[in-house]
Amino acid sequence: MTKKITISLPDDLADRLTDEPNASAYVAESLRRRVAGEKTREILRQVGFEITDEGVARVHAEMEQLRASITPELREQAAQLQAEVLAARARANR
């Protein structure tokens, strides 16, 4: 069952939805993810972990700094290691 509602969005988000073939499905999935995140935070809070918006923002900023520090050389090394692991797995599965 579905229910039709009317909501107001900032222009940038409304413009983004115009690119979606099924805006309702896109919004529903986004809301489901948000609700799941809220449930996860509640479960973590109940067992002693307090997840705050500030903490999440801080971690996201740290992750961006780390991503920015990944050089092309490190990416190449990672690709080589991945190829070696996949080759070793293939040999082990023979």
Side-chain angles (χ1 to χ4, degrees):
M1 180 171 197
T2 61
K3 186 176 194 177
K4 186 172 183 166
I5 63 169
T6 301
I7 61 170
S8 297
L9 295 171
D11 289 342
D12 61 324
L13 295 177
D15 292 343
R16 173 61 180 86
L17 284 178
T18 61
D19 297 336
E20 287 300 318
N22 186 339
S24 293
Y26 186 89
V27 171
E29 178 60 25
S30 297
L31 187 54
R32 282 189 184 100
R33 288 178 186 218
R34 174 68 182 254
V35 169
E38 290 170 355
K39 287 178 182 177
T40 300
R41 282 186 185 199
E42 178 59 22
I43 290 167
L44 289 170
R45 189 191 63 72
Q46 290 174 0
V47 295
F49 294 93
E50 188 66 32
I51 309 295
T52 65
D53 291 339
E54 295 80 17
V56 170
R58 186 180 67 251
V59 169
H60 280 257
E62 290 172 6
M63 287 173 55
E64 283 305 312
Q65 287 178 333
L66 290 170
R67 281 190 192 104
S69 70
I70 298 173
T71 63
E73 294 80 14
L74 286 175
R75 288 187 192 282
E76 178 61 29
Q77 287 176 356
Q80 289 173 356
L81 286 171
Q82 183 180 29
E84 290 174 17
V85 168
L86 292 174
R89 284 184 185 163
R91 285 191 302 272
N93 289 330
R94 288 186 199 160

